[in-house]
DNA sequence: GAAGTTGCTTTTTTT
DNA sequence: AAGCAACTTC
């Protein structure tokens, strides 16, 4: 009953439905919100915070909100700021890793870390592991570095140090040994990987009662977004941070999640945390948000119907007040090329006739490899598109090189960075010199940087020059602005010149210039001036001062928890920013282009029209997942996520054949089609124009003139050349259609109704019907094992029995 | 020390 | 198919 809720008069609550209202105005106790897709989850989260502040139940300093992505954190701050005049930087809003970083910077001594510790991203971590393997002569066939990396990350996600791992066999024993050595290496070098950020922070809270008590008193309201995606360690961290009932703590957790949208089990997410949370925190308030504001009911019913096939669910059914809307369109193509071509035609019509905006249309697929055909077709049609995924800005090689120099200036012991740039650009320091240096460093138990002075000869001179350059740069850049520092480093290290001289290096030079811009805007946005300033997010933290008793739990901005302990140079702050936030990977936002992405990447987004492509057995559900129960359920949730992205129109598309790993595969349509409500669907058969059927005949799609990168032209972001017939600078107006590949005359197939035929995958079957001629010829065949199929004769290799 | 050649792998992804 | 790593050759 609304009347039972306090403070209902707040205008903040006026526009909420009853469920949302109840969620926002919950008492300060642990609660779980089951928020269905499109049910206004973020809105509830932000309004909850705003309401708590407005009704003076908490001050900004008492709020901690945690998300999984920087994007979500940014969004939350933005919307909060729009709701009420509050300094969002006084609140702790960020990703798990961002917040952990903040804790560790503030308590670096207690955590056993240098103040300037650097953060290894996944790439850095792998190269660190490789280096370790070389040093200890690990048989890389028996222990592939990638697998070791996976092992180490997995252990950390489970909260296990080397000593905590149960060793049952020799292989594990060796892995644990290497894990231990890896840890020592990181510690020596003053670097932490992502898992370490989380684990160290957990241990900090676990092992230091006064720190724990301080934060428990301080954070009265802890809000967790996407709770279904938390892993074991993150949940344990939350338990420490807030304290279980009976531990005398006062903070309340508001967990928001949707078990049906849990699609990250493969990387350690534990949906079970939701049930554990309810049990361990004795949650009294559970609210389901089932009102969907996004989709028409044909779309929503399809999603509901599909997900109802999952056995392990908390149970939730979305409803909408919008009408049925259009039926969900289902399309079958003969080949992935035909699918792509059909898609382009349909897109054109969608935009021209039905008035959809390009950027409001998404093409979704299960795996990245599927994007290529789509891109090729779009590119050749001159249709603007944008691909999400792939290399992000701060992951690009040239950027990582530049950052490595900067990191070395901050922390000379960072051997990973040292090795990355010691001979890049080439300066005559080869593998042999580096090996010698590594031996010396190992013998002396010091970093590569420090071992240089011990080397002799010509190699030693080169190394000495390199180290001297870094040291000189450190001195020269003292007191300069971040921009000036980076400019100087790019120049003096020869990095820019090296790429200028390279014939394919223009994009890289551009990216390096972009790095300077990124630094500039970082300074502006985060308020970093010339002098050292506090943590990137502002706000206060508990310093290492021993006087940590008698703290007020709120608004400690002016007390002894001043920012003293967390001052960082602008450079150090920028480096942290670069490791924690890989940056955008998309071309110009705002460009009106259709969006291509994996289903995973689409989570949290919505579009007017959505195409889900490649709905085939083995692809979606993926073959690696479809053999075990949990895997299949996750695939189904993935499909559920995909469907619920659509507002108005949804297309489901599958193809009979598809090129995969250089081979044509014959696929059955996805089992998910059988799990959708038939009366919501409309089966469309696209007209099979000649162009659409060029499946396996080696037509003109490959081996074009090359050049160009996507459309519209985004040279710096879209470096990889794609096949194209035309010039790379296309415009919709001037572009001419690619020449239609010459279709070989279809051989006389002699397939007629009633005959027995053989198919390489489906086996023997009986022809029921044949239609079309030449390239368009299709046969309907009844296979005893696989049912009735329509097969394009130009694609499927049917032989008469 | 750098450039060319062969062979191998191939889900999903954030921090 | 294609990208990447490791190997061989100049």
């Amino acid at each position: 009953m609304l009347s039972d809720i306090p403070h209902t008069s707040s205008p903040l609550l006026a526009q909420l439905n009853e469920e949302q209202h109840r969620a926002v105005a919950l008492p300060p106790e642990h609660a779980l919100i089951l928020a269905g897709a499109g049910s206004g989850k973020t809105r509830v989260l932000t309004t909850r915070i705003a309401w708590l502040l407005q009704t003076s139940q908490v001050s900004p300093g008492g709020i901690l909100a945690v998300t999984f992505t920087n994007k979500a954190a940014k969004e939350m701050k933005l919307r909060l700021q729009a709701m009420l005049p509050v300094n969002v930087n006084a609140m702790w809003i960020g990703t798990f890793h961002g917040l952990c970083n903040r804790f560790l910077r503030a308590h670096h001594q207690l955590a056993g870390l240098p103040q300037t510790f650097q953060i290894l991203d996944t790439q850095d971590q792998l190269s660190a592991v490789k280096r370790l393997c070389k040093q200890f002569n690990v048989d890389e066939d028996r222990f592939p570095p990638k697998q070791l990396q996976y092992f180490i990350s997995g252990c950390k996600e489970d909260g296990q140090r080397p000593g905590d791992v149960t060793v049952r066999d020799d292989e594990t024993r060796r892995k644990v040994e290497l894990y231990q050595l890896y840890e020592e290496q990181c510690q020596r070098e003053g670097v932490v990987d992502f898992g370490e950020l989380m684990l160290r922070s957990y241990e900090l809270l676990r092992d230091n009662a006064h720190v724990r008590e301080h934060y428990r008193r301080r954070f009265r309201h802890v809000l967790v977004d996407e709770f279904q995606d938390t892993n074991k360690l993150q949940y344990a961290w939350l338990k420490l941070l807030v304290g279980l009932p009976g531990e005398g703590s006062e903070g309340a957790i508001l967990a928001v999640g949707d078990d049906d949208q849990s699609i990250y089990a493969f990387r350690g997410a534990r949906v079970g945390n939701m049930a554990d949370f309810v049990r361990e925190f004795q949650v009294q308030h559970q609210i389901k948000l089932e009102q969907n504001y996004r989709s028409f009911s044909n779309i929503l019913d399809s999603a509901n119907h599909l997900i109802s096939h999952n056995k392990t669910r908390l149970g939730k059914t979305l409803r909408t007040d919008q009408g049925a809307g259009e039926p969900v369109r289902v399309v079958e193509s003969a080949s992935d090329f035909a699918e792509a071509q059909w898609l382009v035609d349909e897109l054109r019509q969608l935009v021209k006739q039905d008035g959809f905006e390009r950027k409001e249309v998404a093409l979704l697929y299960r795996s990245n490899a599927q994007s290529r055909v789509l891109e090729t077709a779009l590119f050749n049609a001159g249709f603007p598109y944008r691909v999400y995924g792939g290399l992000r800005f701060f992951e690009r090689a040239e950027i990582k090189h530049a950052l490595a120099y900067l990191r070395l200036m901050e922390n000379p012991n960072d051997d990973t960075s040292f090795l990355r740039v010691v001979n890049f650009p080439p300066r005559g320091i080869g593998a042999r010199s580096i090996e010698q240096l590594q031996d010396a460093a190992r013998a002396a138990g010091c970093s590569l940087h420090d071992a240089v002075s011990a080397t002799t000869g010509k190699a030693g001179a080169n190394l000495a020059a390199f180290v001297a350059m870094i040291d000189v740069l450190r001195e020269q850049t003292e007191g300069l602005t971040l921009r000036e520092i980076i400019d100087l480093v790019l120049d003096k290290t020869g990095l820019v010149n090296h790429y200028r001289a390279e014939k394919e290096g223009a994009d890289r030079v551009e990216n390096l210039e972009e790095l300077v811009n990124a630094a500039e805007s970082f300074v502006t946005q985060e308020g970093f001036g010339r002098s050292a300033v506090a943590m990137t997010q502002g706000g206060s933290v508990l310093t290492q001062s021993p006087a940590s008793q008698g703290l007020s739990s709120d608004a400690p901005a002016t007390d002894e928890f001043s920012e003293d302990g967390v001052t960082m140079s602008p450079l150090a702050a920028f480096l942290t920013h670069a490791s924690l936030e890989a940056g955008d990977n998309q071309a110009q936002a705002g460009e009106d282009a259709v969006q291509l992405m994996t289903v995973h990447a689409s989570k949290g987004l919505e579009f007017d029209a959505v195409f889900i492509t490649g709905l085939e057995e083995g692809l979606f559900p993926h073959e690696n997942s479809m053999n075990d129960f949990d895997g299949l359920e996750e695939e189904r949730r993935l499909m559920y996520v995909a469907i619920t992205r659509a507002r108005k129109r949804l297309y489901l598309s599958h193809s009979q054949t598809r090129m995969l790993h250089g081979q044509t595969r014959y696929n059955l349509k996805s089992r998910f089609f059988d799990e959708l409500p038939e009366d919501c669907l409309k089966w469309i058969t696209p007209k099979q124009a000649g162009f659409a059927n060029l499946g396996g005949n080696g037509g003109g799609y490959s081996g074009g003139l090359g050049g160009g990168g996507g459309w519209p032209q985004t040279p710096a972001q879209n470096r990889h050349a794609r096949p194209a017939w035309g010039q790379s600078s296309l415009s919709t107006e001037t572009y001419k259609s690619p020449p239609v590949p010459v279709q070989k005359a279809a051989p006389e197939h002699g397939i007629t109704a009633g005959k027995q035929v053989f198919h390489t995958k489906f086996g023997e079957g009986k022809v029921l019907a044949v239609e079309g001629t030449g390239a368009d010829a299709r046969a309907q065949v009844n296979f005893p094992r696989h049912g009735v199929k329509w097969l394009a004769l130009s694609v499927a290799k049917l032989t008469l029995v």
Side-chain angles (χ1 to χ4, degrees), chain A residues 500-512:
Chain A
R500 283 217 181 96
E502 223 172 47
K503 61 178 192 291
E504 301 272 314
D507 290 348
R508 296 183 187 267
V509 173
E510 225 173 289
N511 281 328
L512 287 173

Side-chain angles (χ1 to χ4, degrees), chain A residues 651-702:
Chain A
Y651 293 88
L652 307 178
S653 151
H654 71 102
S655 167
Q656 294 174 353
T657 64
R658 187 171 294 278
M659 284 289 264
L660 198 65
H661 311 325
Q663 283 188 316
T664 304
R665 300 204 345 177
Y666 296 78
N667 293 323
L668 294 170
K669 74 174 193 293
S670 172
R671 70 190 67 191
F672 295 146
F673 282 109
D674 305 330
E675 302 176 357
L676 295 171
E678 191 60 45
D679 50 343
C680 292
L681 308 182
K682 181 180 171 192
W683 299 74
I684 300 175
T685 313
K687 50 183 188 311
Q688 302 276 333
F691 189 61
N693 252 342
L694 51 97
N697 71 352
Y701 266 101
S702 55

